[in-house]
């Protein structure tokens, strides 16, 4: 059985200078990690995802669980994205669904709120977005370019070519400087010429 901690919160035998006794460092480290993650989200997505997702929750007047279902992510993953414990959205289709919802909300009114809340319309919208399989949004290649240059993206494509030709094609398009609207259908992605060859 483990030893219990005294009421002061310090494990027995640790003094004020002992690392185990310094609980603020862990909290400070966590806070710094969350700030860093939110800044990375700002870099990748234009602003922290918590801000974007909270706007949708307010404008649509839905629960986090309903929004998670529409985006097709788990509720815990949505919570992690909102809090900054998770930096990136897992798949381009989820980001595409987020953008679809934001575009629909923008059509409601200048302040982002529906002029007349209509539960049936919100339910239809959530169902439509849940069923959508959107292409990667326009900035998706730009996101790849923030973490690697053209040469590195091309080398990564070469590495992935044999086992993952679709991913290799995506990396090659990013290396060339394509935009999402330039993307070919997936059947030709593996046949794209490598800019480094």
């Amino acid at each position: 059985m483990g030893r219990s901690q005294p009421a002061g919160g310090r494990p027995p035998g640790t003094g004020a200078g002992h690392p185990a006794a310094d609980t603020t460092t862990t909290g400070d480290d966590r806070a710094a990690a969350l700030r860093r993650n939110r800044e990375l989200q700002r870099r990748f997505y234009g602003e922290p995802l918590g801000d974007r997702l909270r706007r949708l929750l307010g404008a649509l007047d839905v629960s986090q669980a309903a929004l998670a279902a529409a985006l097709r992510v788990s509720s815990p993953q949505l919570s992690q994205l909102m809090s900054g414990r998770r930096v990136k959205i897992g798949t381009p289709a989820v980001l595409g669904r987020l953008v679809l919802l934001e575009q629909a909300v923008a059509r409601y009114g200048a302040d982002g709120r529906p002029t007349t809340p209509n539960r049936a319309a919100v339910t239809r919208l959530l169902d439509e977005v849940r069923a959508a399989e959107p292409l990667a949004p326009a900035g998706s290649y730009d996101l790849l370019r923030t973490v690697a240059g053209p040469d590195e993206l091309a080398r990564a494509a070469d590495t992935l070519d044999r086992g993952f030709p679709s991913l290799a094609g995506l990396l090659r398009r990013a290396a060339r400087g394509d935009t999402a609207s330039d993307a070919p259908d997936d059947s030709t992605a593996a046949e794209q010429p490598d800019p480094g060859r």
Side-chain angles (χ1 to χ4, degrees):
M1 285 211 305
R3 293 168 46 184
S4 64
Q5 292 187 7
R10 291 188 185 149
T14 61
H18 192 280
D22 188 2
T23 58
T24 58
T25 302
T26 303
D28 290 345
D29 289 346
R30 267 190 238 125
L34 290 175
R35 280 192 303 276
R36 184 194 75 234
N37 289 351
R38 287 186 195 108
E39 188 52 42
L40 286 170
Q41 287 180 344
R42 183 182 319 281
R43 184 173 158 197
F44 295 153
Y45 304 112
E47 66 181 307
L49 290 171
D51 296 347
R52 291 176 71 171
L53 294 164
R54 274 187 279 285
R55 266 197 306 278
L56 284 175
L57 289 168
L60 297 170
D61 192 28
V62 296
S63 67
Q64 283 188 14
L67 181 58
L71 296 174
R72 290 177 30 195
V73 299
S74 69
S75 291
Q77 182 180 5
L78 183 71
S79 176
Q80 291 166 357
L81 288 166
M82 288 180 71
S83 69
R85 289 185 317 248
R86 179 185 290 250
V87 174
K88 294 181 183 176
I89 294 174
T91 63
V94 172
L95 179 58
R97 286 185 205 98
L98 173 64
V99 171
L100 287 174
L101 278 174
E102 288 173 326
Q103 290 170 343
V105 166
R107 290 189 296 264
Y108 280 122
D111 64 351
R113 290 201 167 270
T115 52
T116 54
N118 180 336
R119 298 302 326 144
V122 169
T123 300
R124 268 193 316 278
L125 172 63
L126 294 177
D127 289 343
E128 288 169 11
V129 167
R130 183 181 307 110
E133 290 295 338
L135 293 174
S140 297
Y141 296 130
D142 293 334
L143 177 60
L144 287 170
R145 292 181 203 118
T146 66
V147 295
D151 292 339
E152 189 176 4
L153 290 168
R155 286 193 313 273
D158 289 343
T159 301
L160 292 174
D161 233 346
R162 175 171 272 152
F164 305 95
S166 294
L167 286 175
L170 175 93
L171 293 174
R172 283 195 182 90
R173 289 188 298 276
R176 283 194 308 263
D178 291 359
T179 64
S181 61
D182 298 331
D185 67 26
D186 286 340
S187 65
T188 61
E191 301 168 1
Q192 296 299 316
D194 182 350
R197 290 188 188 165

